[in-house]
Amino acid sequence: MTSPDDGRRQPPAAAPGAGADVPDPDGGGAKPQRTFTPDFLTELFRNPLDPGYADAAARKARGEGPAGARKRLLSAVSALTLVALGFLLVVAYRQTVADEPARMQARDTLIDQVQSRRSGTAELQARADRLRTEVADLRERQLGGAAIARLRELEAETGLASVRGEGTRVTVGDGPTPIDPVTGERSSDARVRDTDLQRATNALWAAGAEAVAVNGQRLTATSTIRQAGEAILVDFRPVTTPYQVVAIGPDSLADDFRGGAAGQFFRALNTRYGMSYDVAGIGEVTLDPATEPNLRQASPSTPPPTPTASSSGGVPPSRGTSHPPDPSAAVSTTPSEGGR
């Protein structure tokens, strides 16, 4: 038997991607349309460069670059740009060289002033020490033995004389300062603050210390421990980490401090922030005297009224007569050095 197409051979099916005949939906005799699907990946590997590069290279090989006037204009603009940049660099260099001597001269002047002030301060301090020694010698000549002994005892208690004996050393130091990865700021939580040193010194006083010094700075009744930015000042003198608080007192001073509230506080700081902390007893130690404070006292702003004779008989008042104070007399008070 033969097929309905009278034995005619059917055309092979179109390969996918190579094109296919689109039949006419109306069944008419219109010419079929062929569609092609390009293989972009194969074309990309076959021609990796954009055709524009090849065209530009061909035009350059044929001498078909920019026109003569245009080329000369581009060359002139490039040359002017290079000249302008070179001129600016030369001017900047000459200005920098010209300003350098002035900056060096100003720096040398400041260094000379600092050294001169330091030398002047050292000379004044030496003069003050000599005068203090002369005053002490004159005082000992005028006073008796008992008075001198009592005076030296009071000076040792108030911090105006050096003391020597067994004591305790409390050492605290700054911990690590991590950097915030987001903001780049350094954390100051592990830094020793003025309140920490105040807590340590007050705990030593409460435990029976007779004399206390912070990094060699002797403390008195008017001493201050304050924060100024990142620096800590003891009597307006800067001290740096590690901070050593040395106290002279009883043999149990170290154990009392270690087992008290201050010891627990510093152990917590060491555990949480990594701050260094140590308490140890020491043998013979000498604490230098503190500088003499500039004490002030209250004084009346106006002189007291003088007694006058009575208008009746011209007899002055008797000794037992009391006079009310003048309400207009005011008293000016000035805090002592240190503000305590």
Side-chain angles (χ1 to χ4, degrees), residues 134-187:
E134 293 178 3
V135 170
D137 295 340
L138 293 175
R139 184 176 54 194
E140 291 182 1
R141 294 176 186 177
Q142 297 296 327
L143 298 177
I148 290 297
R150 177 58 179 165
L151 182 60
R152 289 178 178 176
E153 182 181 354
L154 291 176
E155 286 179 343
E157 293 177 357
T158 56
L160 300 181
S162 61
V163 294
R164 183 178 182 181
E166 298 181 356
T168 300
R169 179 186 293 110
V170 179
T171 305
V172 292
D174 295 338
T177 56
I179 302 177
D180 192 330
V182 178
T183 61
E185 296 181 355
R186 292 183 177 272
S187 175

Side-chain angles (χ1 to χ4, degrees), residues 98-151:
D99 293 343
E100 187 65 21
R103 286 196 294 266
M104 293 298 297
Q105 184 178 2
R107 180 177 178 273
D108 295 339
T109 302
L110 291 177
I111 292 176
D112 294 339
Q113 291 180 359
V114 170
Q115 293 178 352
S116 176
R117 297 292 178 86
R118 286 180 178 176
S119 301
T121 302
E123 293 177 359
L124 291 176
Q125 184 64 39
R127 182 183 177 187
D129 294 338
R130 290 194 302 269
L131 294 176
R132 189 179 295 110
T133 303
E134 293 178 3
V135 170
D137 295 340
L138 293 175
R139 184 176 54 194
E140 291 182 1
R141 294 176 186 177
Q142 297 296 327
L143 298 177
I148 290 297
R150 177 58 179 165
L151 182 60

Side-chain angles (χ1 to χ4, degrees), residues 125 132 159-160 217-218 220 235 237 289-294:
Q125 184 64 39
R132 189 179 295 110
L160 300 181
Q217 299 293 329
R218 183 78 174 275
T220 64
D235 283 341
R237 295 183 180 181
T291 57
E292 294 185 4
N294 186 15

Side-chain angles (χ1 to χ4, degrees), residues 5 17 20 27 57 63 66 75-76 79 130 142 147 158-159 166 175 205 210 273 283 292 298 301 306 310 340:
D5 55 357
S75 300
R130 290 194 302 269
Q142 297 296 327
T158 56
E166 298 181 356
W205 288 119
E210 301 175 2
Y273 300 111
E292 294 185 4
S301 60
T306 57
S310 61
R340 288 191 179 182

Side-chain angles (χ1 to χ4, degrees), residues 213-300:
V214 179
N215 282 25
Q217 299 293 329
R218 183 78 174 275
L219 301 183
T220 64
T222 59
S223 296
T224 59
I225 302 176
R226 293 290 183 266
Q227 191 100 15
E230 295 184 357
I232 296 180
L233 306 180
V234 178
D235 283 341
F236 305 104
R237 295 183 180 181
V239 292
T240 57
T241 184
Y243 305 95
Q244 293 186 355
V245 184
V246 179
I248 295 178
D251 297 337
S252 61
L253 185 60
D255 295 334
D256 293 341
F257 183 90
R258 196 179 293 110
Q264 298 177 5
F265 173 76
F266 284 106
R267 283 195 298 272
L269 292 181
N270 175 262
T271 303
R272 184 171 182 179
Y273 300 111
M275 297 171 55
S276 60
Y277 164 65
D278 180 68
V279 180
I282 53 178
E284 291 291 330
V285 63
T286 301
L287 298 183
D288 296 330
T291 57
E292 294 185 4
N294 186 15
L295 299 178
R296 300 179 179 89
Q297 59 185 3
S299 59

